[in-house]
Amino acid sequence: MLRVSLLLRSGGAARRFSSSFSGASVLPPNLLLPSNLVDPARLKRPPPPADCPLPLLRKCDAAVPSHLSPVQTWVETLQRPDGEPLGLAQLHPDVFAVRPRLDILHDVERWQRNFKRISHASTKVRSEVRGGGKKPWNQKGSGRARHGSIRSPIWRGGGVSHGPRGPTSYYYMLPLKVRVQGLKVALSSKMAQDFLHIVDSLNIPTPDPQYLLDLVRHRHWGDSVLIVHVGDEFPENLLQATENLKTVNVIPAIGLNVHSMLKHEVVVLTLDTVKFLEDKLLWHDQRYTPLYPFKLPYADFP
Amino acid sequence: MCIISISYRRKESEMSVLGGLLRAGASFCQSAGTLLQTARTISTGTCCRIRMHAIPELKKVDRWTEKRSMFGVYDNIGILGDFKAHPKDLILAPCWLKAFKGNELERLIRKKKMVGDRMMAVDRHNMEKRIRFLYRHFNRIGKHR
């Protein structure tokens, strides 16, 4: 066994010795790369320059504060497989360029995981276990230890003294403005890391899922894509294409949330979705505190 | 600890435990090279019945099932949906636990209020006993009353 181990050690040393002579960029054959490693082949596309000839397809509807400037991004299309942008769009900085508050993201993510959680773990206490009402043997005289019931927690088959009790809920609510800020921070982080893409519409030429995968691979978007669209109607081709795909998912704009944005690497919004999100998220900056819940009718709320 | 076992049936299991441990020890040594010292473990009792391979395989978890990829969707239905619905309406729970958090006594009292007259007799009796015990425990025993 010792001779075998010596041979193994010498073989490894010889391999390492020879690799130092060859070129610097030779990768070892048994290299395992993690799947979330940033692809160096992915070209960082630069933000649109000031003198870009493409038309400005969208301006901010809400007033932009004077000390901030709107965020400019490319508007792309899913119709053609190549990655040429159609135009530019301006996004509101108070939604897409807020400070990257990681603590708010953490709080919102933890809230999303826990507020729905119901733990059904349950154990029986000594009074609930079947049996155990009678004293097993006399207090004195038998020579055995004294016991009062056969279901006490020190007995095998007895009750659990401090176990989980019945269905438990972990519900709590974060303040409304914290949840709104969490959405804004998530969108801003995706924009800042170049993982947010604006698309004019979601029409695809074919219902083939391979078309979407090739498009994502060609444009170096990433592993997983979250497509968000306003309204109930989705194009049939898109629904058919994404039906059997695991990592490309389509959700309506009402379903947007921080957990899904963090789980999927790339977020794709349409121009209508951007308008809807800005409208909904900016309202909370300048609203009065509610005197009664918002679900009851207000005069000036929609 | 040496356990003197009286029954003779256990001799074969003891031998197999010894043999298994030696084999596991030997294979572990070969795979890890000469970094680990060979240690012969000897079991004199019947305590070491757990047999394990040296490095267990990681269980394969699919991170992109329907449930995992769609988790959290509609959690902001209030903010983005004009406050017609609240995320607490999404919770799948027994009716006395929807949008409620409390300690055990509070949960049991709420259950008794909401569902008590529908419960089975034995379950209700056990629940009432537990409420009585917890009330006395929290309000009469210990430092915090």
Side-chain angles (χ1 to χ4, degrees):
Chain A
M1 194 183 78
L2 283 167
R3 260 178 266 147
V4 168
S5 56
L6 275 169
L7 275 169
L8 281 171
R9 267 196 299 187
S10 63
R15 235 180 290 126
R16 280 184 301 230
F17 198 55
S18 67
S19 72
S20 60
F21 284 137
S22 44
S25 61
V26 167
L27 292 171
N30 56 348
L31 182 68
L32 286 170
L33 286 170
S35 59
N36 59 354
L37 188 68
V38 171
D39 187 8
R42 180 168 176 260
L43 304 162
K44 270 270 189 233
R45 62 171 180 179
D51 54 347
C52 191
L54 294 172
L56 187 68
L57 296 174
R58 184 197 178 259
K59 280 193 154 184
C60 289
D61 299 325
V64 177
S66 50
H67 67 287
L68 300 167
S69 59
V71 183
Q72 297 240 357
T73 28
W74 303 107
V75 174
E76 297 166 24
T77 179
L78 296 176
Q79 298 273 34
R80 296 191 305 263
D82 64 328
E84 293 300 318
L86 283 183
L88 305 180
Q90 281 187 342
L91 306 173
H92 203 287
D94 277 341
V95 174
F96 290 92
V98 298
R99 277 172 215 261
R101 288 282 304 265
L102 295 181
D103 60 323
I104 293 184
L105 275 185
H106 172 80
D107 289 338
V108 175
E109 166 66 32
R110 189 169 34 138
W111 168 75
Q112 275 194 274
R113 269 213 301 263
N114 283 333
F115 86 100
K116 293 185 275 222
R117 179 179 166 203
I118 304 284
S119 156
H120 290 276
S122 174
T123 52
K124 289 193 175 6
V125 190
R126 61 182 285 176
S127 64
E128 292 166 359
V129 181
R130 184 103 178 158
K134 185 165 170 302
K135 194 167 168 66
W137 45 77
N138 285 347
Q139 176 84 359
K140 300 184 76 60
S142 69
R144 285 170 285 186
R146 50 194 179 179
H147 289 292
S149 96
I150 59 167
R151 302 300 187 199
S152 96
I154 57 178
W155 278 65
R156 177 196 178 274
V160 180
S161 35
H162 296 292
R165 290 295 297 158
T168 327
S169 82
Y170 295 83
Y171 171 80
Y172 68 105
M173 289 306 280
L174 284 177
L176 186 59
K177 291 190 185 175
V178 172
R179 285 179 272 141
V180 167
Q181 191 66 19
L183 274 175
K184 291 181 187 166
V185 168
L187 287 167
S188 314
S189 313
K190 288 289 179 192
M191 170 60 75
Q193 291 176 319
D194 213 18
F195 285 135
L196 190 77
H197 299 268
I198 314 284
V199 153
D200 59 339
S201 81
L202 294 179
N203 300 318
I204 340 178
T206 54
D208 184 21
Q210 199 54 40
Y211 171 78
L212 273 179
L213 291 173
D214 292 336
L215 190 135
V216 170
R217 177 82 58 78
H218 172 77
R219 297 185 191 186
H220 300 291
W221 276 0
D223 292 326
S224 42
V225 182
L226 184 70
I227 305 178
V228 190
H229 184 55
V230 194
D232 305 324
E233 288 89 30
F234 289 88
E236 276 301 320
N237 281 350
L238 185 73
L239 285 179
Q240 274 184 20
T242 50
E243 200 176 337
N244 291 325
L245 283 180
K246 281 188 175 180
T247 53
V248 179
N249 295 312
V250 181
I251 56 171
I254 305 170
L256 189 64
N257 62 93
V258 167
H259 176 86
S260 300
M261 281 204 276
L262 293 177
K263 179 147 180 100
H264 296 78
E265 210 178 319
V266 166
V267 178
V268 170
L269 308 175
T270 51
L271 291 170
D272 302 324
T273 319
V274 169
K275 178 172 177 326
F276 172 81
L277 285 174
E278 282 190 4
D279 187 33
K280 293 291 173 191
L281 297 179
L282 284 171
W283 177 70
H284 291 276
D285 286 344
Q286 280 154 5
R287 64 171 168 88
Y288 286 107
T289 178
L291 299 171
Y292 48 91
F294 282 121
K295 65 175 164 204
L296 300 174
Y298 276 81
D300 50 352
F301 187 57
Chain B
M1 194 178 81
C2 179
I3 303 167
I4 302 167
S5 55
I6 302 169
S7 61
Y8 289 95
R9 246 187 298 150
R10 295 199 190 163
K11 253 196 186 163
E12 291 158 9
S13 55
E14 275 174 353
M15 291 300 291
S16 59
V17 163
L18 251 179
L21 283 168
L22 282 174
R23 262 182 269 120
S27 65
F28 193 57
C29 288
Q30 274 176 6
S31 61
T34 50
L35 291 169
L36 284 172
Q37 298 296 323
T38 48
R40 285 188 69 193
T41 48
I42 297 173
S43 153
T44 49
T46 52
C47 51
C48 309
R49 285 219 181 263
I50 302 169
R51 297 150 168 267
M52 279 205 319
H53 292 289
I55 302 172
E57 284 184 13
L58 294 170
K59 60 176 180 182
K60 292 179 181 45
V61 185
D62 182 15
R63 292 286 164 204
W64 288 100
T65 62
E66 178 64 30
K67 194 173 173 189
R68 283 196 179 115
S69 52
M70 287 286 130
F71 183 81
V73 177
Y74 295 119
D75 277 349
N76 291 316
I77 192 159
I79 310 170
L80 299 171
D82 283 346
F83 301 101
K84 294 198 188 78
H86 191 281
K88 69 184 177 189
D89 305 328
L90 297 169
I91 303 176
L92 209 65
C95 67
W96 70 90
L97 282 182
K98 277 193 163 65
F100 173 80
K101 182 175 175 181
N103 60 28
E104 196 192 338
L105 183 59
E106 290 165 350
R107 276 183 274 128
L108 285 175
I109 290 171
R110 188 175 163 98
K111 181 176 179 183
K112 183 171 171 183
K113 246 178 22 187
M114 292 178 71
V115 169
D117 43 355
R118 290 201 276 148
M119 283 172 80
M120 292 287 153
V122 179
D123 300 332
R124 188 184 171 133
H125 181 55
N126 283 337
M127 189 180 70
E128 283 172 352
K129 282 195 297 186
R130 186 77 185 156
I131 290 177
R132 204 174 297 128
F133 168 78
L134 285 173
Y135 178 87
R136 275 185 284 156
H137 177 78
F138 286 133
N139 294 326
R140 301 183 191 172
I141 292 174
K143 188 174 168 185
H144 305 280
R145 308 195 177 196

